[in-house]
PDB file of all heavy atoms in Angstrom:
ATOM      1  N   TRP A  42     -15.210  -2.012   2.668  1.00  0.00           N
ATOM      2  CA  TRP A  42     -14.246  -1.565   1.665  1.00  0.00           C
ATOM      3  C   TRP A  42     -14.203  -0.051   1.558  1.00  0.00           C
ATOM      4  O   TRP A  42     -13.147   0.536   1.316  1.00  0.00           O
ATOM      5  CB  TRP A  42     -14.576  -2.189   0.324  1.00  0.00           C
ATOM      6  CG  TRP A  42     -13.759  -1.702  -0.829  1.00  0.00           C
ATOM      7  CD1 TRP A  42     -14.197  -0.951  -1.892  1.00  0.00           C
ATOM      8  CD2 TRP A  42     -12.365  -1.947  -1.076  1.00  0.00           C
ATOM      9  NE1 TRP A  42     -13.175  -0.707  -2.767  1.00  0.00           N
ATOM     10  CE2 TRP A  42     -12.034  -1.309  -2.296  1.00  0.00           C
ATOM     11  CE3 TRP A  42     -11.372  -2.630  -0.393  1.00  0.00           C
ATOM     12  CZ2 TRP A  42     -10.751  -1.342  -2.832  1.00  0.00           C
ATOM     13  CZ3 TRP A  42     -10.086  -2.666  -0.918  1.00  0.00           C
ATOM     14  CH2 TRP A  42      -9.790  -2.023  -2.134  1.00  0.00           C
ATOM     15  N   HIS A  43     -15.333   0.595   1.739  1.00  0.00           N
ATOM     16  CA  HIS A  43     -15.362   2.059   1.646  1.00  0.00           C
ATOM     17  C   HIS A  43     -14.462   2.695   2.696  1.00  0.00           C
ATOM     18  O   HIS A  43     -13.925   3.787   2.469  1.00  0.00           O
ATOM     19  CB  HIS A  43     -16.794   2.572   1.824  1.00  0.00           C
ATOM     20  CG  HIS A  43     -16.915   4.062   1.656  1.00  0.00           C
ATOM     21  ND1 HIS A  43     -16.757   4.693   0.449  1.00  0.00           N
ATOM     22  CD2 HIS A  43     -17.141   5.051   2.568  1.00  0.00           C
ATOM     23  CE1 HIS A  43     -16.893   5.997   0.593  1.00  0.00           C
ATOM     24  NE2 HIS A  43     -17.121   6.245   1.872  1.00  0.00           N
ATOM     25  N   VAL A  44     -14.268   2.011   3.822  1.00  0.00           N
ATOM     26  CA  VAL A  44     -13.364   2.509   4.862  1.00  0.00           C
ATOM     27  C   VAL A  44     -11.942   2.021   4.620  1.00  0.00           C
ATOM     28  O   VAL A  44     -10.982   2.810   4.628  1.00  0.00           O
ATOM     29  CB  VAL A  44     -13.852   2.070   6.258  1.00  0.00           C
ATOM     30  CG1 VAL A  44     -12.865   2.527   7.332  1.00  0.00           C
ATOM     31  CG2 VAL A  44     -15.238   2.623   6.539  1.00  0.00           C
ATOM     32  N   THR A  45     -11.792   0.729   4.407  1.00  0.00           N
ATOM     33  CA  THR A  45     -10.453   0.154   4.276  1.00  0.00           C
ATOM     34  C   THR A  45      -9.757   0.596   2.998  1.00  0.00           C
ATOM     35  O   THR A  45      -8.520   0.553   2.923  1.00  0.00           O
ATOM     36  CB  THR A  45     -10.516  -1.379   4.301  1.00  0.00           C
ATOM     37  OG1 THR A  45     -11.376  -1.850   3.243  1.00  0.00           O
ATOM     38  CG2 THR A  45     -11.059  -1.872   5.641  1.00  0.00           C
ATOM     39  N   ARG A  46     -10.520   1.030   2.013  1.00  0.00           N
ATOM     40  CA  ARG A  46      -9.900   1.480   0.769  1.00  0.00           C
ATOM     41  C   ARG A  46      -8.990   2.685   0.980  1.00  0.00           C
ATOM     42  O   ARG A  46      -8.115   2.969   0.165  1.00  0.00           O
ATOM     43  CB  ARG A  46     -10.973   1.819  -0.269  1.00  0.00           C
ATOM     44  CG  ARG A  46     -10.432   1.892  -1.695  1.00  0.00           C
ATOM     45  CD  ARG A  46     -11.483   2.395  -2.676  1.00  0.00           C
ATOM     46  NE  ARG A  46     -11.067   2.259  -4.049  1.00  0.00           N
ATOM     47  CZ  ARG A  46     -10.177   3.025  -4.674  1.00  0.00           C
ATOM     48  NH1 ARG A  46      -9.578   4.006  -4.000  1.00  0.00           N
ATOM     49  NH2 ARG A  46      -9.875   2.841  -5.935  1.00  0.00           N
ATOM     50  N   ASN A  47      -9.210   3.414   2.078  1.00  0.00           N
ATOM     51  CA  ASN A  47      -8.319   4.542   2.382  1.00  0.00           C
ATOM     52  C   ASN A  47      -6.869   4.078   2.500  1.00  0.00           C
ATOM     53  O   ASN A  47      -5.953   4.803   2.107  1.00  0.00           O
ATOM     54  CB  ASN A  47      -8.754   5.219   3.688  1.00  0.00           C
ATOM     55  CG  ASN A  47      -9.985   6.090   3.511  1.00  0.00           C
ATOM     56  OD1 ASN A  47      -9.922   7.184   2.964  1.00  0.00           O
ATOM     57  ND2 ASN A  47     -11.121   5.590   3.977  1.00  0.00           N
ATOM     58  N   ALA A  48      -6.665   2.868   3.033  1.00  0.00           N
ATOM     59  CA  ALA A  48      -5.304   2.338   3.152  1.00  0.00           C
ATOM     60  C   ALA A  48      -4.698   2.087   1.776  1.00  0.00           C
ATOM     61  O   ALA A  48      -3.506   2.325   1.551  1.00  0.00           O
ATOM     62  CB  ALA A  48      -5.316   1.046   3.967  1.00  0.00           C
ATOM     63  N   VAL A  49      -5.528   1.607   0.851  1.00  0.00           N
ATOM     64  CA  VAL A  49      -5.053   1.390  -0.520  1.00  0.00           C
ATOM     65  C   VAL A  49      -4.712   2.725  -1.177  1.00  0.00           C
ATOM     66  O   VAL A  49      -3.724   2.830  -1.911  1.00  0.00           O
ATOM     67  CB  VAL A  49      -6.112   0.627  -1.341  1.00  0.00           C
ATOM     68  CG1 VAL A  49      -5.673   0.481  -2.798  1.00  0.00           C
ATOM     69  CG2 VAL A  49      -6.357  -0.752  -0.745  1.00  0.00           C
ATOM     70  N   THR A  50      -5.519   3.737  -0.915  1.00  0.00           N
ATOM     71  CA  THR A  50      -5.248   5.061  -1.481  1.00  0.00           C
ATOM     72  C   THR A  50      -3.933   5.625  -0.953  1.00  0.00           C
ATOM     73  O   THR A  50      -3.166   6.238  -1.696  1.00  0.00           O
ATOM     74  CB  THR A  50      -6.402   6.028  -1.156  1.00  0.00           C
ATOM     75  OG1 THR A  50      -7.625   5.484  -1.649  1.00  0.00           O
ATOM     76  CG2 THR A  50      -6.168   7.386  -1.807  1.00  0.00           C
ATOM     77  N   ILE A  51      -3.667   5.415   0.336  1.00  0.00           N
ATOM     78  CA  ILE A  51      -2.386   5.866   0.898  1.00  0.00           C
ATOM     79  C   ILE A  51      -1.233   5.202   0.158  1.00  0.00           C
ATOM     80  O   ILE A  51      -0.256   5.858  -0.227  1.00  0.00           O
ATOM     81  CB  ILE A  51      -2.317   5.551   2.407  1.00  0.00           C
ATOM     82  CG1 ILE A  51      -3.290   6.439   3.177  1.00  0.00           C
ATOM     83  CG2 ILE A  51      -0.900   5.749   2.939  1.00  0.00           C
ATOM     84  CD1 ILE A  51      -3.407   6.091   4.647  1.00  0.00           C
ATOM     85  N   GLU A  54      -1.074   6.599  -3.630  1.00  0.00           N
ATOM     86  CA  GLU A  54      -0.474   7.930  -3.768  1.00  0.00           C
ATOM     87  C   GLU A  54       0.971   7.939  -3.271  1.00  0.00           C
ATOM     88  O   GLU A  54       1.813   8.677  -3.811  1.00  0.00           O
ATOM     89  CB  GLU A  54      -1.308   8.966  -3.009  1.00  0.00           C
ATOM     90  CG  GLU A  54      -2.753   9.083  -3.481  1.00  0.00           C
ATOM     91  CD  GLU A  54      -2.880   9.392  -4.963  1.00  0.00           C
ATOM     92  OE1 GLU A  54      -1.973  10.057  -5.532  1.00  0.00           O
ATOM     93  OE2 GLU A  54      -3.883   8.966  -5.576  1.00  0.00           O
ATOM     94  N   GLY A  70       3.255  17.768  -3.572  1.00  0.00           N
ATOM     95  CA  GLY A  70       2.293  17.471  -2.508  1.00  0.00           C
ATOM     96  C   GLY A  70       1.376  16.316  -2.855  1.00  0.00           C
ATOM     97  O   GLY A  70       1.250  15.925  -4.014  1.00  0.00           O
ATOM     98  N   ILE A  71       0.740  15.779  -1.794  1.00  0.00           N
ATOM     99  CA  ILE A  71      -0.189  14.662  -1.924  1.00  0.00           C
ATOM    100  C   ILE A  71      -1.471  15.028  -1.196  1.00  0.00           C
ATOM    101  O   ILE A  71      -1.439  15.574  -0.088  1.00  0.00           O
ATOM    102  CB  ILE A  71       0.404  13.375  -1.320  1.00  0.00           C
ATOM    103  CG1 ILE A  71       1.685  12.973  -2.063  1.00  0.00           C
ATOM    104  CG2 ILE A  71      -0.607  12.231  -1.352  1.00  0.00           C
ATOM    105  CD1 ILE A  71       2.430  11.822  -1.418  1.00  0.00           C
ATOM    106  N   ARG A  72      -2.596  14.728  -1.823  1.00  0.00           N
ATOM    107  CA  ARG A  72      -3.899  14.945  -1.202  1.00  0.00           C
ATOM    108  C   ARG A  72      -4.673  13.635  -1.155  1.00  0.00           C
ATOM    109  O   ARG A  72      -4.686  12.885  -2.129  1.00  0.00           O
ATOM    110  CB  ARG A  72      -4.713  15.997  -1.974  1.00  0.00           C
ATOM    111  CG  ARG A  72      -4.167  17.415  -1.850  1.00  0.00           C
ATOM    112  CD  ARG A  72      -4.976  18.406  -2.662  1.00  0.00           C
ATOM    113  NE  ARG A  72      -4.539  19.768  -2.415  1.00  0.00           N
ATOM    114  CZ  ARG A  72      -5.040  20.568  -1.475  1.00  0.00           C
ATOM    115  NH1 ARG A  72      -6.008  20.113  -0.688  1.00  0.00           N
ATOM    116  NH2 ARG A  72      -4.582  21.782  -1.303  1.00  0.00           N
ATOM    117  N   LEU A  73      -5.297  13.369  -0.014  1.00  0.00           N
ATOM    118  CA  LEU A  73      -6.175  12.214   0.151  1.00  0.00           C
ATOM    119  C   LEU A  73      -7.566  12.728   0.474  1.00  0.00           C
ATOM    120  O   LEU A  73      -7.719  13.608   1.332  1.00  0.00           O
ATOM    121  CB  LEU A  73      -5.676  11.312   1.292  1.00  0.00           C
ATOM    122  CG  LEU A  73      -4.220  10.840   1.199  1.00  0.00           C
ATOM    123  CD1 LEU A  73      -3.830  10.102   2.462  1.00  0.00           C
ATOM    124  CD2 LEU A  73      -4.017   9.962  -0.022  1.00  0.00           C
ATOM    125  N   HIS A  74      -8.584  12.203  -0.209  1.00  0.00           N
ATOM    126  CA  HIS A  74      -9.934  12.733  -0.064  1.00  0.00           C
ATOM    127  C   HIS A  74     -10.859  11.729   0.614  1.00  0.00           C
ATOM    128  O   HIS A  74     -10.598  10.520   0.606  1.00  0.00           O
ATOM    129  CB  HIS A  74     -10.489  13.114  -1.443  1.00  0.00           C
ATOM    130  CG  HIS A  74      -9.621  14.078  -2.170  1.00  0.00           C
ATOM    131  ND1 HIS A  74      -9.269  13.923  -3.498  1.00  0.00           N
ATOM    132  CD2 HIS A  74      -8.996  15.216  -1.748  1.00  0.00           C
ATOM    133  CE1 HIS A  74      -8.480  14.917  -3.874  1.00  0.00           C
ATOM    134  NE2 HIS A  74      -8.304  15.716  -2.831  1.00  0.00           N
ATOM    135  N   SER A  75     -11.953  12.220   1.171  1.00  0.00           N
ATOM    136  CA  SER A  75     -12.875  11.380   1.934  1.00  0.00           C
ATOM    137  C   SER A  75     -13.610  10.367   1.065  1.00  0.00           C
ATOM    138  O   SER A  75     -14.164   9.394   1.591  1.00  0.00           O
ATOM    139  CB  SER A  75     -13.900  12.259   2.672  1.00  0.00           C
ATOM    140  OG  SER A  75     -14.622  13.066   1.760  1.00  0.00           O
ATOM    141  N   ASP A  76     -13.646  10.559  -0.252  1.00  0.00           N
ATOM    142  CA  ASP A  76     -14.270   9.569  -1.138  1.00  0.00           C
ATOM    143  C   ASP A  76     -13.272   8.482  -1.537  1.00  0.00           C
ATOM    144  O   ASP A  76     -13.538   7.700  -2.447  1.00  0.00           O
ATOM    145  CB  ASP A  76     -14.847  10.247  -2.384  1.00  0.00           C
ATOM    146  CG  ASP A  76     -13.781  10.939  -3.227  1.00  0.00           C
ATOM    147  OD1 ASP A  76     -12.603  10.967  -2.808  1.00  0.00           O
ATOM    148  OD2 ASP A  76     -14.127  11.445  -4.315  1.00  0.00           O
ATOM    149  N   THR A  77     -12.135   8.435  -0.867  1.00  0.00           N
ATOM    150  CA  THR A  77     -11.032   7.484  -1.056  1.00  0.00           C
ATOM    151  C   THR A  77     -10.257   7.714  -2.351  1.00  0.00           C
ATOM    152  O   THR A  77      -9.466   6.867  -2.749  1.00  0.00           O
ATOM    153  CB  THR A  77     -11.494   5.999  -1.005  1.00  0.00           C
ATOM    154  OG1 THR A  77     -12.226   5.670  -2.174  1.00  0.00           O
ATOM    155  CG2 THR A  77     -12.302   5.727   0.255  1.00  0.00           C
ATOM    156  N   SER A  78     -10.460   8.853  -2.992  1.00  0.00           N
ATOM    157  CA  SER A  78      -9.615   9.216  -4.125  1.00  0.00           C
ATOM    158  C   SER A  78      -8.398   9.966  -3.600  1.00  0.00           C
ATOM    159  O   SER A  78      -8.311  10.299  -2.414  1.00  0.00           O
ATOM    160  CB  SER A  78     -10.382  10.080  -5.126  1.00  0.00           C
ATOM    161  OG  SER A  78     -10.722  11.338  -4.530  1.00  0.00           O
ATOM    162  N   GLY A  79      -7.454  10.240  -4.481  1.00  0.00           N
ATOM    163  CA  GLY A  79      -6.261  10.964  -4.073  1.00  0.00           C
ATOM    164  C   GLY A  79      -5.626  11.667  -5.254  1.00  0.00           C
ATOM    165  O   GLY A  79      -6.002  11.448  -6.408  1.00  0.00           O
ATOM    166  N   LEU A  80      -4.659  12.518  -4.967  1.00  0.00           N
ATOM    167  CA  LEU A  80      -3.971  13.261  -6.020  1.00  0.00           C
ATOM    168  C   LEU A  80      -2.533  13.525  -5.578  1.00  0.00           C
ATOM    169  O   LEU A  80      -2.291  14.010  -4.468  1.00  0.00           O
ATOM    170  CB  LEU A  80      -4.672  14.592  -6.295  1.00  0.00           C
ATOM    171  CG  LEU A  80      -4.008  15.517  -7.318  1.00  0.00           C
ATOM    172  CD1 LEU A  80      -4.044  14.888  -8.710  1.00  0.00           C
ATOM    173  CD2 LEU A  80      -4.687  16.883  -7.328  1.00  0.00           C
ATOM    174  N   THR A  81      -1.597  13.190  -6.442  1.00  0.00           N
ATOM    175  CA  THR A  81      -0.185  13.473  -6.200  1.00  0.00           C
ATOM    176  C   THR A  81       0.311  14.405  -7.300  1.00  0.00           C
ATOM    177  O   THR A  81       0.134  14.116  -8.483  1.00  0.00           O
ATOM    178  CB  THR A  81       0.652  12.183  -6.202  1.00  0.00           C
ATOM    179  OG1 THR A  81       0.184  11.336  -5.161  1.00  0.00           O
ATOM    180  CG2 THR A  81       2.127  12.484  -5.975  1.00  0.00           C
ATOM    181  N   VAL A  82       0.899  15.515  -6.906  1.00  0.00           N
ATOM    182  CA  VAL A  82       1.364  16.517  -7.871  1.00  0.00           C
ATOM    183  C   VAL A  82       2.889  16.575  -7.827  1.00  0.00           C
ATOM    184  O   VAL A  82       3.486  16.732  -6.757  1.00  0.00           O
ATOM    185  CB  VAL A  82       0.778  17.904  -7.548  1.00  0.00           C
ATOM    186  CG1 VAL A  82       1.302  18.938  -8.547  1.00  0.00           C
ATOM    187  CG2 VAL A  82      -0.739  17.857  -7.569  1.00  0.00           C
ATOM    188  N   MET A 133       5.620  10.298   4.504  1.00  0.00           N
ATOM    189  CA  MET A 133       4.530  10.712   3.624  1.00  0.00           C
ATOM    190  C   MET A 133       3.757  11.887   4.212  1.00  0.00           C
ATOM    191  O   MET A 133       3.302  12.778   3.481  1.00  0.00           O
ATOM    192  CB  MET A 133       3.587   9.527   3.385  1.00  0.00           C
ATOM    193  CG  MET A 133       2.486   9.805   2.381  1.00  0.00           C
ATOM    194  SD  MET A 133       1.496   8.330   2.047  1.00  0.00           S
ATOM    195  CE  MET A 133       0.296   9.026   0.889  1.00  0.00           C
ATOM    196  N   ILE A 137       1.757  15.671   2.722  1.00  0.00           N
ATOM    197  CA  ILE A 137       0.302  15.781   2.655  1.00  0.00           C
ATOM    198  C   ILE A 137      -0.103  17.256   2.687  1.00  0.00           C
ATOM    199  O   ILE A 137       0.414  18.033   3.485  1.00  0.00           O
ATOM    200  CB  ILE A 137      -0.362  15.018   3.817  1.00  0.00           C
ATOM    201  CG1 ILE A 137      -0.061  13.519   3.724  1.00  0.00           C
ATOM    202  CG2 ILE A 137      -1.865  15.256   3.827  1.00  0.00           C
ATOM    203  CD1 ILE A 137      -0.665  12.841   2.519  1.00  0.00           C
ATOM    204  N   ARG A 138      -1.057  17.605   1.829  1.00  0.00           N
ATOM    205  CA  ARG A 138      -1.425  19.015   1.685  1.00  0.00           C
ATOM    206  C   ARG A 138      -2.893  19.300   2.009  1.00  0.00           C
ATOM    207  O   ARG A 138      -3.398  20.375   1.671  1.00  0.00           O
ATOM    208  CB  ARG A 138      -1.130  19.473   0.246  1.00  0.00           C
ATOM    209  CG  ARG A 138       0.356  19.468  -0.108  1.00  0.00           C
ATOM    210  CD  ARG A 138       1.112  20.507   0.687  1.00  0.00           C
ATOM    211  NE  ARG A 138       2.526  20.555   0.361  1.00  0.00           N
ATOM    212  CZ  ARG A 138       3.472  19.910   1.034  1.00  0.00           C
ATOM    213  NH1 ARG A 138       3.138  19.164   2.082  1.00  0.00           N
ATOM    214  NH2 ARG A 138       4.737  20.001   0.676  1.00  0.00           N
ATOM    215  N   ASN A 139      -3.596  18.384   2.661  1.00  0.00           N
ATOM    216  CA  ASN A 139      -4.965  18.691   3.076  1.00  0.00           C
ATOM    217  C   ASN A 139      -5.250  18.035   4.420  1.00  0.00           C
ATOM    218  O   ASN A 139      -4.581  17.079   4.834  1.00  0.00           O
ATOM    219  CB  ASN A 139      -5.996  18.260   2.030  1.00  0.00           C
ATOM    220  CG  ASN A 139      -6.065  16.745   1.862  1.00  0.00           C
ATOM    221  OD1 ASN A 139      -5.044  16.064   1.932  1.00  0.00           O
ATOM    222  ND2 ASN A 139      -7.257  16.223   1.640  1.00  0.00           N
ATOM    223  N   ALA A 140      -6.245  18.549   5.120  1.00  0.00           N
ATOM    224  CA  ALA A 140      -6.515  18.123   6.501  1.00  0.00           C
ATOM    225  C   ALA A 140      -6.963  16.664   6.566  1.00  0.00           C
ATOM    226  O   ALA A 140      -6.509  15.911   7.439  1.00  0.00           O
ATOM    227  CB  ALA A 140      -7.575  19.027   7.126  1.00  0.00           C
ATOM    228  N   TYR A 141      -7.865  16.270   5.670  1.00  0.00           N
ATOM    229  CA  TYR A 141      -8.343  14.884   5.711  1.00  0.00           C
ATOM    230  C   TYR A 141      -7.192  13.918   5.454  1.00  0.00           C
ATOM    231  O   TYR A 141      -7.082  12.881   6.113  1.00  0.00           O
ATOM    232  CB  TYR A 141      -9.452  14.667   4.669  1.00  0.00           C
ATOM    233  CG  TYR A 141      -9.972  13.250   4.670  1.00  0.00           C
ATOM    234  CD1 TYR A 141     -10.944  12.864   5.583  1.00  0.00           C
ATOM    235  CD2 TYR A 141      -9.470  12.286   3.780  1.00  0.00           C
ATOM    236  CE1 TYR A 141     -11.414  11.557   5.614  1.00  0.00           C
ATOM    237  CE2 TYR A 141      -9.925  10.986   3.812  1.00  0.00           C
ATOM    238  CZ  TYR A 141     -10.906  10.626   4.726  1.00  0.00           C
ATOM    239  OH  TYR A 141     -11.356   9.321   4.754  1.00  0.00           O
ATOM    240  N   GLY A 142      -6.343  14.258   4.510  1.00  0.00           N
ATOM    241  CA  GLY A 142      -5.202  13.400   4.217  1.00  0.00           C
ATOM    242  C   GLY A 142      -4.272  13.281   5.403  1.00  0.00           C
ATOM    243  O   GLY A 142      -3.803  12.189   5.746  1.00  0.00           O
ATOM    244  N   ALA A 143      -3.994  14.408   6.062  1.00  0.00           N
ATOM    245  CA  ALA A 143      -3.117  14.383   7.235  1.00  0.00           C
ATOM    246  C   ALA A 143      -3.717  13.537   8.346  1.00  0.00           C
ATOM    247  O   ALA A 143      -3.024  12.728   8.979  1.00  0.00           O
ATOM    248  CB  ALA A 143      -2.872  15.806   7.724  1.00  0.00           C
ATOM    249  N   LEU A 144      -5.031  13.691   8.575  1.00  0.00           N
ATOM    250  CA  LEU A 144      -5.700  12.923   9.628  1.00  0.00           C
ATOM    251  C   LEU A 144      -5.640  11.429   9.324  1.00  0.00           C
ATOM    252  O   LEU A 144      -5.367  10.611  10.214  1.00  0.00           O
ATOM    253  CB  LEU A 144      -7.151  13.388   9.760  1.00  0.00           C
ATOM    254  CG  LEU A 144      -7.997  12.671  10.817  1.00  0.00           C
ATOM    255  CD1 LEU A 144      -7.418  12.919  12.213  1.00  0.00           C
ATOM    256  CD2 LEU A 144      -9.446  13.139  10.742  1.00  0.00           C
ATOM    257  N   THR A 145      -5.868  11.069   8.071  1.00  0.00           N
ATOM    258  CA  THR A 145      -5.851   9.656   7.674  1.00  0.00           C
ATOM    259  C   THR A 145      -4.471   9.043   7.891  1.00  0.00           C
ATOM    260  O   THR A 145      -4.343   7.941   8.434  1.00  0.00           O
ATOM    261  CB  THR A 145      -6.256   9.516   6.204  1.00  0.00           C
ATOM    262  OG1 THR A 145      -7.551  10.091   6.009  1.00  0.00           O
ATOM    263  CG2 THR A 145      -6.294   8.056   5.788  1.00  0.00           C
ATOM    264  N   VAL A 146      -3.440   9.748   7.478  1.00  0.00           N
ATOM    265  CA  VAL A 146      -2.075   9.231   7.618  1.00  0.00           C
ATOM    266  C   VAL A 146      -1.662   9.167   9.086  1.00  0.00           C
ATOM    267  O   VAL A 146      -1.010   8.201   9.518  1.00  0.00           O
ATOM    268  CB  VAL A 146      -1.094  10.088   6.801  1.00  0.00           C
ATOM    269  CG1 VAL A 146       0.348   9.667   7.072  1.00  0.00           C
ATOM    270  CG2 VAL A 146      -1.398   9.964   5.315  1.00  0.00           C
TER     271      VAL A 146
END
Side-chain angles (χ1 to χ4, degrees):
W42 174 248
H43 184 69
V44 177
T45 58
R46 197 187 190 285
N47 284 285
V49 176
T50 303
I51 290 173
E54 300 304 330
I71 298 172
R72 290 178 174 269
L73 306 173
H74 304 133
S75 58
D76 62 356
T77 72
S78 65
L80 176 66
T81 299
V82 179
M133 185 175 178
I137 297 294
R138 295 293 181 265
N139 66 323
Y141 180 83
L144 179 63
T145 302
V146 173

